[in-house]
Amino acid sequence: MLKVESIDVFYGNIQALKGVSLEVKNGEIVTLIGANGAGKSTLLKTISGLLKPKQGDILYEGTSIAGKAAQTIVKQGISHVPEGRRIFANMTVEENLELGAFLRKDKQEIQQDFEKVYHLFPRLYERRKQLAGTLSGGEQQMLAIGRSLMARPRLLLLDEPSMGLAPLLVKTIFRIIEEINSFGTTILLVEQNAHMALSVADRAYVIESGRVVLSGTAQELNASEQVKKAYLGGH
């Protein structure tokens, strides 16, 4: 479904990604693991069109999307839930969700998707008339995910969904990620909590200093000494 081929990405003169290649197959959950500043968020931003690669290519369902405008990429079926949630604080929950469907014209199906999101996140239904800025961190994360689902993505890019959340909420968010995947949405997940990420993923890539240094099935990486030492707290 997604093929990233040897991309180089720069911020000014600083090279953030160095020849990164990976692939995501239809229906999978693939996770990217790595320390802060390793280039994981940069990779998601490049896939979703917020950054342009200097070298290499990105193929989505066989078509190159490298350097295309972000809205074009959303139209093609890729949604990005950014790190830090980026919800619209002065708009209601419902208005935030409506914005997720901004590019769509199919009113009836949009209504069905509202119902789907509220089914996934009952808390958002209870708070639908509330300003998004008044929600708790966990609720804002639910809203950010819900908003991206309103675009009906076939591929969902999730950046640090558990960041700053209480352990119980982290479990809830990951259960929902699995549920979204079971509905047929493919997921590329960036997550600091390597343990949780590997527990839901089919495959994983480890990124260090802008390079992919390791890849394999989630089980292989879970069992790898290198991964255990660096990302799973040694146990």
Side-chain angles (χ1 to χ4, degrees):
M1 184 181 229
L2 180 75
K3 203 168 190 186
V4 175
E5 297 178 333
S6 306
I7 62 168
D8 292 345
V9 177
F10 288 78
Y11 289 109
N13 296 326
I14 296 160
Q15 189 166 0
L17 295 178
K18 302 160 187 167
V20 168
S21 296
L22 62 80
E23 56 179 55
V24 181
K25 297 185 183 79
N26 196 3
E28 283 190 313
I29 298 180
V30 173
T31 188
L32 303 174
I33 295 168
N36 256 338
K40 306 183 303 295
S41 294
T42 300
L43 179 55
L44 292 194
K45 285 178 184 163
T46 309
I47 294 166
S48 68
L50 298 173
L51 294 170
K52 294 183 176 22
K54 204 160 201 178
Q55 288 288 326
D57 205 357
I58 301 167
L59 300 171
Y60 172 64
E61 296 182 327
T63 308
S64 174
I65 56 168
K68 280 195 176 172
Q71 65 269 31
T72 307
I73 291 173
V74 172
K75 243 183 201 153
Q76 283 182 275
I78 299 178
S79 274
H80 185 171
V81 181
E83 186 182 351
R85 300 161 200 145
R86 305 290 174 94
I87 54 150
F88 298 98
N90 298 327
M91 296 169 83
T92 65
V93 165
E94 206 157 59
E95 288 165 341
N96 268 272
L97 292 174
E98 264 169 22
L99 272 181
F102 183 72
L103 293 171
R104 294 173 56 186
K105 302 279 181 281
D106 46 345
K107 284 210 165 60
Q108 246 175 327
E109 290 181 17
I110 290 172
Q111 204 41 54
Q112 287 168 9
D113 285 347
F114 261 112
E115 283 159 26
K116 258 190 205 158
V117 168
Y118 288 145
H119 172 73
L120 266 179
F121 303 108
R123 193 96 50 94
L124 294 183
Y125 180 71
E126 290 161 20
R127 310 224 187 307
R128 63 192 184 281
K129 300 294 182 204
Q130 230 170 283
L131 289 182
T134 64
L135 300 179
S136 71
E139 290 161 353
Q140 289 188 10
Q141 186 60 63
M142 291 170 187
L143 180 55
I145 296 172
R147 181 180 60 187
S148 71
L149 291 176
M150 291 299 293
R152 265 211 188 164
R154 292 194 299 286
L155 174 64
L156 185 61
L157 310 176
L158 274 175
D159 198 353
E160 300 287 6
S162 82
M163 189 185 262
L165 300 185
L168 200 65
L169 263 176
V170 173
K171 281 199 170 118
T172 305
I173 292 287
F174 273 90
R175 196 194 69 242
I176 288 160
I177 290 170
E178 287 186 289
E179 202 172 330
I180 292 167
N181 179 245
S182 75
F183 296 151
T185 308
T186 305
I187 293 172
L188 180 57
L189 168 69
V190 160
E191 179 53 60
Q192 208 82 83
N193 185 334
H195 191 71
M196 283 302 281
L198 289 172
S199 76
V200 299
D202 298 293
R203 292 185 305 107
Y205 292 85
V206 177
I207 295 190
E208 282 175 13
S209 312
R211 284 193 171 87
V212 171
V213 294
L214 210 60
S215 68
T217 66
Q219 284 103 322
E220 285 165 353
L221 265 65
N222 230 332
S224 143
E225 285 309 315
Q226 196 182 337
V227 171
K228 274 184 194 167
K229 273 202 191 91
Y231 305 108
L232 299 174
H235 48 75

